[in-house]
Amino acid sequence: MIEAPPATVARLVVYVRVLDEFAVRDVDVTSSDAIAEAAGVSAFQVRKDLSYVGPLGQRGKGYDVHKLRTRLRIAIGLDEDFPVVIVGMGRLGQALADYPNLGGLGARVVAAFDADPAKIGARVGAWTVRAPSEMADVTRAHGVRTAFLTVPGSRAASAARAIARAGIPGILNFSSSVIEAPPGTVVQSVDFLTGLGLLAYEVRLRAARGSTSGGPSRHDDAA
Ligand code: NAD
């Protein structure tokens, strides 16, 4: 695996998804321009990011889509399936549990937990909801390294501590709260409401400036 700045790794994940999409469309050879176009970044940024992965084919000949996809997956540790659990089987937890495309990155839901006694033992889609007290056993049995945290913001910190106690080192925090990573864990937060707020601001700002003609934002930061 490579060591690279988080922003670079985030873009490499996007390139893997772009290459998956190319493969589905039977595209065998691609270029940094094509990847850049699909990923919404510049070709310079793509080449810079790919340089972390090492030499990748001959200059001017393009990239073999399948080989590049494999190299990127290995570079960022997405070459193996990884089991995940969902903590909080409300609206969002249930939607994620049934989401079919997690497998694209190798994530595989193995269990779903909720603290509500009315939900424990109930069937939700393919899942029988379990009590948080069972999390450590499930973690050991499946080698779980990632939990999706989908509880109300007010419960997020205590649920994160329970996840840490169960021995799960990675928490993808979907809740509305910013949480401190419990010892021994890494927390990544996903927040579509912040994205929505930012978008609303940008749209209003453009309208106020009398210009809606600009292209989509590009995310070529220098990291
Ligand atoms: P919800 O109320 O429908 O579900 C929350 C579930 O968490 C409930 O079933 C509840 O019993 C359970 N729960 C509470 N405490 C728990 C604990 N300690 N352990 C296990 N389960 C526990 O809420 P929702 O609409 O699914 O939203 C969940 C969270 O996701 C909220 O914090 C919401 O703000 C956030 N959210 C985030 C995004 C995003 O883009 N990240 C989008 C929508 C909602």
Side-chain angles (χ1 to χ4, degrees):
M1 263 175 65
I2 58 165
E3 286 196 29
T8 303
V9 176
R11 285 189 298 270
L12 291 172
V13 173
V14 173
Y15 304 158
V16 167
R17 285 165 45 199
V18 163
L19 293 166
D20 285 346
E21 189 58 38
F22 287 174
V24 167
R25 289 198 270 122
D26 290 327
V27 176
D28 292 323
V29 178
T30 190
S31 62
S32 40
D33 284 334
I35 297 170
E37 172 79 33
V41 300
S42 68
F44 171 77
Q45 183 75 63
V46 171
R47 287 191 289 273
K48 189 171 164 206
D49 293 335
L50 294 184
S51 70
Y52 278 92
V53 184
L56 295 164
Q58 286 170 270
R59 211 180 167 78
K61 290 211 162 175
Y63 303 108
D64 178 306
V65 167
H66 307 278
K67 284 187 188 154
L68 181 59
R69 190 164 64 140
T70 304
R71 287 285 300 274
L72 294 192
R73 278 180 179 276
I74 293 169
I76 55 178
L78 286 179
D79 52 326
E80 287 176 1
D81 275 10
F82 58 100
V84 308
V85 296
I86 296 182
V87 179
M89 277 297 272
R91 284 160 292 208
L92 186 59
Q94 291 180 28
L96 287 170
D98 283 338
Y99 185 61
N101 285 345
L102 292 176
L105 286 182
R108 182 168 45 83
V109 176
V110 295
F113 298 93
D114 201 288
D116 181 352
K119 287 188 178 165
I120 295 167
R123 198 88 189 146
V124 177
W127 306 102
T128 301
V129 178
R130 294 171 179 243
S133 57
E134 293 180 68
M135 213 181 319
D137 286 344
V138 171
T139 298
R140 270 193 297 277
H142 293 274
V144 176
R145 297 202 306 260
T146 306
F148 293 170
L149 181 56
T150 49
V151 301
S154 60
R155 308 291 298 275
S158 62
R161 287 194 294 273
I163 291 168
R165 280 196 302 275
I168 300 173
I171 301 174
L172 191 57
N173 173 32
F174 288 86
S175 85
S176 48
S177 282
V178 176
I179 55 168
E180 212 174 292
T185 67
V186 180
V187 174
Q188 273 291 334
S189 291
V190 183
D191 184 1
F192 103 100
L193 293 176
T194 300
L196 182 60
L198 181 59
L199 179 68
Y201 166 80
E202 286 192 356
V203 170
R204 288 288 298 273
L205 190 65
R206 283 182 183 213
R209 284 181 182 153
S211 154
T212 51
S213 56
S217 299
R218 297 176 81 86
H219 304 282
D220 325 8
D221 64 43

